[in-house]
Structure formats: structure tokens, C-alpha cells
Amino acid sequence: MSARLSLLGITRSFPGTTVLDGCDLELQIGEVVSVRGASGTGKSTLLNIAGLLDTPNAGSIAIDGTVVPSKASAGLRAGLRAKHIGFVFQGFHLLPEFNVLENVLLPVRANGGNEADRQRADALLDRVGLNQRRKAAVQTLSGGEAQRVALCRALVRKPPLILADEPTGNLDPHTADEVLQLLLELAREDGSSVLLVTHDPRIAASADRRSELRDGRLHDLD
Amino acid sequence: MLVPYFALRYLRRRRMAWLALAAVALTVWVSVLVLGVMEGWVSFTRVQVRASESDISLRSSEGILASRAVDTILTKHPSVVAAAPFIATPAPMVSEDRSGSKRMIPIHAQGVDWQADRAINRLNDAWLHPRPGLELSAPPLEADERGTGFITQDCRAWLPLAGLETLGGLAGLPVPLPPRASRFRAGLIVGRELMYEQGGRLRMGSPVAITLPDQKGGRLGSVRLEISDTVGTGVLEIDRYAAIMPLASAQRLTDQDDRRHRNGGPKVDGYRMRVSPDADLEQVRSELLSDSDLVSAVQGSRARIDLWHEIRGNAVRLLEINLRTLRIVMIVLQALCIFTVAAVFSTLVAEKRHDIGVLIGIGVHPWRVIAIFLLASTLACVGGGLLGWGAGWGALALINPLSEWTGWTLFPQQVFYTSEAPIHFDWRTPASFIALQAGIGLVSALIPAIRAGLINPVDTIREAG
Ligand SMILES: Nc1ncnc2c1ncn2[C@@H]1O[C@H](COP(=O)(O)OP(=O)(O)OP(=O)(O)O)[C@@H](O)[C@H]1O
Ligand SMILES: [Mg+2]
């Protein structure tokens, strides 16, 4: 069985620095892998590449065993993202002009979702305890609430691969804990694989595998 | 789904987008209003010219025998509604004022049959004006204060008395009557501007004489007439030169009354015809020319048939050129919206950079992002266009009531013999502007939209994070 996501020899350099240097990663179906690393080591860069938002200078990416062409167009990569990947970012990145439910339904709308998707959005908001605020403007949400909405948005279409980049960086430790537990719980229910950047050792402990990004490569910690 | 959803949302929530809409609405409003009035003038003039010259006319320089037969042959054609005989010739008119001084005025003498001419829509009530010298902005005059057609004032005053006399005669009771003028002159209808230009020399009841010289220095014919009415059509050549007299007077003037019994009857210069409005004039002409009855009736007279626009089309063409120029100006005006719309959408895209980054990030194809902004700008422009259309027609409908209410007239009555702005509602004008605006919407948002499609989600995520 092929891995959900495999990165092979990923190299990414910016003018003056090489951030990733032959980085490898295999993420199995349903596996949760945590990544930690000092600031500026390239964790976000790695996730952007894994999420097909950014293209590496060298190396190959395969999703479910299918190699993404290195010259893939922006449109093709967008299509693959829509099909396979859910993002949770450090910032919440909700759209200010839309209410809570509309934000959650964004991926559904973008991909012509059906009634089942809508029910799932409702169920997810229930799970994160925000069903009462489904019509609320997102500006009125607290940080924790906003991140939970972002979580629902990432999960609404049951993406096989979830990429979470320090999703709790802006939250207090207690709320951060809660949100991450929720993320992992929901991901496990759907059988999604998760690549999670976090500094919190307790969260990292609940991952199937822990790794650290150092010198442009991932090193297993277990 | 996503594209219209976002396009409508951005249009509704962003005041910015309303600016584009307002700019387009204003431009279309102005264009619809201006062209509506201009088109009104063109059709007004076309109707005036066409009616004064009639739709088509059969004419011959040698004269056509004035017989009922020609009349019947012409009206036999299914498209010819009515025909009226006429005589038309330039001539000098001599007017004599009270002190006996004479003045010669060049005129265009016309002889017509009153009934027949009214049947082809010439000499209609709208053109036969109340007596000159009265304030034009005064309310319309009663029927008996108007000009009296070919019947002179003296004759009209005497007519009821003549009726009384007849009645009295029948009753066997002789009633004393004032003595009747030895002979009434025929009435003459002159153009209103001609009347004004003579500054009081010519007025209702003024006696005039028209004499036509022949080629040998003698005179072909001469008539004495009395001004009994005026005609004002807004068409310069008529209002300035026309002197319309009864057909019999004109026949005497042009020596076509067959006094010498050489021609086998009185002649006319030709026949004017009114044609049903949907008829193809060219076709009517060729059908009439191949009518064997007509050919034999006008045999040897070198008769030909002219269409109205061949004789007097330039009056209309002049306005049409103006209309065309205005249209070009208005199209250029529409094009100015490109800048407003482009500016608005550049700003909108800049404002929504983050949204766009997120959309592309979650897997929306860049083409669909481009489509969002193109659709939004097209909708704004078409919406603005529709608004401008409605407002434009509303304003057109209000022009005349408003000018009546405020007393402020857009067009001087003295020039066109109507203070109303002739307005014309042609849906094709606003529709073509809206189509143009749709194109402008697409073109002007193209560059901002493509910029939006090229936004790199990594950048926007970093910016906001
Ligand atoms: N577009 C870019 N141009 C130049 N340098 C860049 C660019 N993007 C990232 N970098 C550099 O690459 C390095 C890695 O950045 P990255 O954001 O991946 O770090 P990180 O591990 O996520 O850090 P943090 O924990 O603070 O989020 C940094 O030194 C950053 O300055
Ligand atoms: Mg980072």
C-alpha cells in the first residue's frame, strides 16, 4: 500500500539561504506525525510544499502514490489541494465578509458540495460547540472560537491529508490543548493523516510519530 | 456556484463596487437622455418633411392633365392611401402696404386642392397656425381665431350673411343685407417666417399679387390673392418660402388653366401621394411606373416619380449626421467608464488579497478567481446600465411636464413651432449601451482579475500570519 504523502529529497532555497535540503517524509494513511524545530528552520516552508502551495527546487512529492509533476500548473495544484488536503494555519484565515457557517462551507461551495456536506458542517459546528454562533460574523469570535471554525473548514470535506501549521500558536495553553485534541480526534474519526507542526511536547506525545526539522532535514525523534 | 456567490457578495458588501455602478449609471443616463431627444428631433423632422413633401410624388415639367382618371389610377395601388394634385413654381410676390408702396418678395408658389391635400396629411391642423402677431406662448386659440385656410376674412364674415339671405329668401321675407364685396379674392397660405420677416407688411388680409413672366418677357399668368392663413412646420424651406394657393389660382398663374383650349383641359405639375407607412417606397415607385394605365394617362409628358428623400431628404440627413456624431461622442463617454471600473476593481482586488489567497489555498482554481471579478464587474456595469436606462427614460418622460411646470423651455417655440422636446423611446439605444457596458466591465476588470488569479497563497498566508 502506498503512503498517503511521500516527500523525497525536497530542496527549497530562497535567495541567500537553503531552507530545506534533501528532506524526506513518509506519511501513512491515518498516521499523525508531529514536527518541531527552532524558529526559521523551515517548518512552514515544508508544510507549504507538502500542501502544494509552494514548489520545491528539487525533489518529488507523491500523494497516494501518484507523483505530482514538478511543472504542475497552479490550476492543477489547486485541484489536487481541493481533493486531498485540508489546511489549518497559524493565523485563522477566515473570510471577514462571511459568517461562521459560510466560512465552514467554503470548501463545499468551491467544490459543488451536496446536502450531506451541509449536514456535516452542522455536525462539526456542534462538535466544536459553535452551533449557536453559526450566523455570527467571524470578527466577533474569540481566538479559540475562530481557530475552531478554521478547523471545521479544514475538515468539512473529510480531506485524506490534514496539514496543520502551529494551529495553536496564537492561543493560550488551555485553549490550544482543547483545539488540538479536537483536531486529532476528528482526524482519527475520518481516518485522515495529519502532519502537525507544534512545539507543545504534550500534543506531540499524542502523535503516532514525532520528528524534528534540523539542518533542512527531518529527523525522527522516536 | 462559487463564482456568482462571491461576485454578488463582493458587489453587495463593498461600497467601492457601487461607485463603478454609479459611474456607469450616470454615463448611460446622460447618453440615453441626450440621444432620446436627438432621435426625437430626427423623427420629428422626418415626419414634418415627409408630410410636407408627401411620401412620393408623380411630376412632369410639361404638366399632367388634371383628370379624375389619374387620381383613380394612383390610388388603385394598394400602398397609395391618397393622392393630391399640385402645382409648384418659384415666383415673385408683390405686396402693397397701406401707403401704396410695393415690395417684391421671392416665394415658392404652390397650388393645391384643399381637401386632397388634407387627405395626404399636408396642411394639417397642427401646422396651420393661429393668426401671427399673437404671443406664441399664449394658450391655443379657439378655432375661429385661427387662420381660415383658403377662405379670406371678408368672405368668412360674409358667409353667414349669405346663409341668412338664403334662409330669408326661402321664407319669403327679404332681409336687408350689407352690400357684398364685388369679388372675393382667393386666399393665400404663407409660411410663418415669411410673414414675420416682412415685419408687419404682411398680415392676415394683406393683398398680394403674384405674376409669372414667360420666356419672351411677357407674362405667363398673374393672380391677386389675400393672405388668409399661415403654415409653420419647423422646416425652413416651407416656413420661409411657401405661398400656397388654390389649385385654380395656380393654374391661372402658370397658364395651365387651358384658357386657350389647346391642351384638352387644365393641367397640374403632378400628384403628391401618401403611402402606407410600412410600404417600400422604391417598390411602390417601380410598380407605379410599370402600371400601363398610368403610362397611357401621362403619355408624352415625361413624367417621373420622386421619393420624398430624393427631394427633401437633406433636412433629415443633416440631423442624422448630428445624431451619428452624438452617438460617437456617447460611445466615447461610455469608454471613459473603463477607468472608473478598472480603478474600482483594482482596489477591490487589493482589498480582497487575503480572501483570494485563502480561496486559492483551499483549492479554488485561479480561473474561477478571475471569473469572480469579471462577473462582478460585468454585473456592476450591466446593473448600472439598466439603472441608467430606467433613469434616462424617466427623465425623458419628465422633460416636457417639467418644462411646462417650471416655465423653462429647452427648445424655443419660435424656431420649431413646438415648445415640446420631441422625445423618442427606442429600446435599441439603451440596449446597445448596456451591451457596450458589459464589454467595458469585462475589459476593465481584466487586468485586476488576472492579478487576483496570480496571487500566491503562500504570500498572503505569511502576510496575515
Ligand atoms: N519568500 C521567501 N523569501 C526569502 N526567504 C524566505 C521566504 N520564505 C521563507 N523564507 C525564509 O525561510 C526560512 C524558513 O521560514 P519558515 O517560515 O518556513 O520557518 P518556520 O520554521 O516556519 O519558522 P516559525 O517557527 O517562526 O514559523 C526563514 O529564514 C525565512 O526567512
Ligand atoms: Mg512557521
Side-chain angles (χ1 to χ4, degrees):
Chain A
M1 192 146 95
S2 57
R4 176 118 294 161
L5 173 73
S6 56
L7 304 180
L8 205 67
I10 298 294
T11 300
R12 179 70 168 105
S13 40
F14 296 106
T17 51
T18 297
V19 180
L20 298 177
D21 190 10
C23 180
D24 299 326
L25 169 71
E26 288 253 310
L27 190 59
Q28 301 305 324
I29 290 172
E31 193 182 19
V32 177
V33 172
S34 74
V35 179
R36 73 174 200 207
S39 180
T41 46
K43 303 183 295 295
S44 298
T45 307
L46 177 67
L47 250 69
N48 287 342
I49 287 171
L52 308 178
L53 291 171
D54 197 4
T55 39
N57 302 95
S60 75
I61 307 161
I63 293 174
D64 288 336
T66 311
V67 174
V68 179
S70 60
K71 292 264 175 340
S73 69
L76 177 64
R77 284 186 285 129
L80 290 170
R81 281 200 295 277
K83 196 168 162 216
H84 296 286
I85 300 167
F87 286 99
V88 191
F89 304 104
Q90 187 165 0
F92 317 126
H93 295 292
L94 301 177
L95 305 196
E97 234 122 5
F98 299 81
N99 66 28
V100 167
L101 184 63
E102 287 168 337
N103 264 283
V104 172
L105 281 174
L106 214 54
V108 175
R109 223 177 265 285
N111 294 286
N114 51 24
E115 196 45 44
D117 287 321
R118 271 161 234 281
Q119 279 167 9
R120 169 147 169 99
D122 269 343
L124 278 174
L125 282 174
D126 253 343
R127 275 298 283 284
V128 302
L130 284 173
N131 218 344
Q132 299 302 318
R133 309 210 54 189
R134 57 219 290 276
K135 297 285 183 207
V138 292
Q139 293 97 318
T140 64
L141 299 177
S142 72
E145 287 169 334
Q147 192 58 289
R148 277 180 277 163
V149 174
L151 208 66
C152 293
R153 185 178 68 189
L155 293 170
V156 70
R157 293 189 73 238
K158 297 192 188 181
L161 175 60
I162 294 166
L163 302 173
D165 187 0
E166 285 184 83
T168 56
N170 288 345
L171 305 178
D172 65 84
H174 177 72
T175 319
D177 223 32
E178 228 175 58
V179 170
L180 276 177
Q181 289 305 341
L182 203 59
L183 168 64
L184 295 182
E185 210 177 294
L186 292 168
R188 287 222 160 91
E189 278 170 27
D190 299 339
S192 306
S193 312
V194 181
L195 185 59
L196 171 69
V197 173
T198 181
H199 289 294
D200 188 334
R202 289 194 305 141
I203 297 299
S206 64
D208 299 325
R209 191 148 59 87
R210 296 180 299 148
S211 60
E212 181 175 3
L213 188 62
R214 214 179 330 112
D215 306 328
R217 286 164 192 262
L218 277 175
H219 303 272
D220 268 344
L221 291 178
D222 301 315
Chain B
M1 244 334 262
L2 178 95
V3 170
Y5 179 71
F6 268 79
L8 287 172
R9 183 62 67 101
Y10 284 165
L11 278 184
R12 271 215 333 260
R13 291 284 171 86
R14 295 278 114 192
R15 296 273 155 75
M16 210 55 205
W18 298 7
L19 203 67
L21 191 113
V24 172
L26 195 69
T27 337
V28 172
W29 176 74
V30 167
S31 310
V32 166
L33 186 59
V34 169
L35 289 180
V37 172
M38 195 61 202
E39 281 164 4
W41 279 119
V42 172
S43 59
F44 172 81
T45 309
R46 179 178 288 127
V47 168
Q48 301 287 81
V49 167
R50 207 166 157 169
S52 71
E53 198 50 62
S54 80
D55 298 331
I56 60 176
S57 53
L58 170 76
R59 57 183 74 211
S60 160
S61 53
E62 290 166 20
I64 296 168
L65 277 178
S67 70
R68 281 265 140 239
V70 178
D71 230 8
T72 319
I73 292 164
L74 292 174
T75 48
K76 198 178 64 190
H77 188 282
S79 294
V80 176
V81 178
F86 73 94
I87 287 170
T89 176
M93 179 170 83
V94 175
S95 82
E96 197 174 308
D97 69 5
R98 289 198 187 95
S99 65
S101 79
K102 292 181 176 180
R103 185 184 290 177
M104 200 178 79
I105 307 161
I107 51 133
H108 189 242
Q110 301 182 38
V112 301
D113 176 322
W114 178 265
Q115 294 298 336
D117 242 36
R118 283 175 75 87
I120 62 166
N121 257 3
R122 296 179 89 241
L123 300 183
N124 61 46
D125 282 334
W127 298 350
L128 293 170
H129 273 268
R131 258 179 257 162
L134 291 166
E135 186 53 48
L136 282 168
S137 53
L141 297 174
E142 293 299 316
D144 64 352
E145 291 181 282
R146 303 173 60 102
T148 47
F150 285 147
I151 300 169
T152 59
Q153 304 274 312
D154 286 349
C155 182
R156 190 163 63 101
W158 182 81
L159 274 176
L161 296 176
L164 268 181
E165 188 187 44
T166 314
L167 262 173
L170 281 173
L173 295 166
V175 178
L177 273 179
R180 198 197 124 172
S182 61
R183 190 177 168 203
F184 293 123
R185 291 184 187 213
L188 180 70
I189 305 172
V190 294
R192 298 201 75 189
E193 284 183 34
L194 180 64
M195 190 92 129
Y196 281 123
E197 208 190 52
Q198 296 304 316
R201 266 187 89 84
L202 295 183
R203 64 174 74 83
M204 285 300 195
S206 294
V208 293
I210 302 173
T211 305
L212 209 58
D214 68 6
Q215 281 142 344
K216 295 173 203 127
R219 61 195 218 181
L220 203 56
S222 175
V223 287
R224 302 175 71 76
L225 302 146
E226 187 180 314
I227 293 176
S228 57
D229 208 338
T230 65
V231 60
T233 60
V235 178
L236 177 77
E237 294 96 315
I238 293 167
D239 300 348
R240 174 63 186 78
Y241 292 104
I244 305 169
M245 64 191 78
L247 195 62
S249 303
Q251 280 168 330
R252 204 138 31 87
L253 178 67
T254 55
D255 190 26
Q256 295 191 95
D257 56 350
D258 206 28
R259 269 166 293 187
R260 295 168 201 129
H261 303 286
R262 283 189 311 217
N263 299 331
K267 280 181 168 179
V268 293
D269 285 354
Y271 285 82
R272 294 194 176 106
M273 281 161 270
R274 180 147 75 98
V275 173
S276 49
D278 49 344
D280 175 359
L281 297 183
E282 293 279 0
Q283 195 187 338
V284 174
R285 162 158 69 188
S286 66
E287 279 164 12
L288 283 175
L289 283 176
S290 59
D291 184 330
S292 55
D293 290 344
L294 186 64
V295 171
S296 63
V298 300
Q299 204 171 26
S301 69
R302 276 192 268 166
R304 63 170 204 278
I305 290 176
D306 295 317
L307 311 183
W308 70 272
H309 54 78
E310 291 167 348
I311 313 166
R312 295 287 309 285
N314 277 352
V316 176
R317 266 174 227 128
L318 182 73
L319 276 176
E320 276 173 350
I321 289 169
N322 288 347
L323 175 61
R324 217 167 295 159
T325 315
L326 260 183
R327 278 214 183 100
I328 293 169
V329 171
M330 292 304 158
I331 287 171
V332 172
L333 196 64
Q334 311 297 309
L336 288 182
C337 284
I338 290 177
F339 301 108
T340 318
V341 178
V344 164
F345 277 83
S346 296
T347 316
L348 192 59
V349 167
E351 266 184 12
K352 293 285 124 194
R353 226 181 112 73
H354 173 250
D355 281 23
I356 298 161
V358 172
L359 281 182
I360 297 178
I362 66 169
V364 173
H365 198 290
W367 276 121
R368 293 172 77 193
V369 170
I370 293 173
I372 288 172
F373 289 97
L374 292 185
L375 180 65
S377 67
T378 308
L379 284 177
C381 287
V382 169
L386 287 171
L387 219 70
W389 180 346
W393 276 19
L396 276 181
L398 280 177
I399 283 184
N400 286 323
L402 218 67
S403 85
E404 196 177 307
W405 185 58
T406 58
W408 184 80
T409 48
L410 203 54
F411 302 102
Q413 190 177 12
Q414 287 81 353
V415 178
F416 299 105
Y417 300 98
T418 169
S419 58
E420 296 225 320
I423 51 176
H424 189 69
F425 295 100
D426 186 346
W427 63 270
R428 281 170 302 187
T429 306
S432 56
F433 281 132
I434 289 170
L436 188 64
Q437 285 293 355
I440 285 173
L442 275 179
V443 169
S444 49
L446 199 60
I447 290 171
I450 289 174
R451 285 233 184 88
L454 290 177
I455 284 175
N456 184 350
V458 175
D459 293 343
T460 59
I461 286 161
R462 269 186 201 282
E463 281 161 22

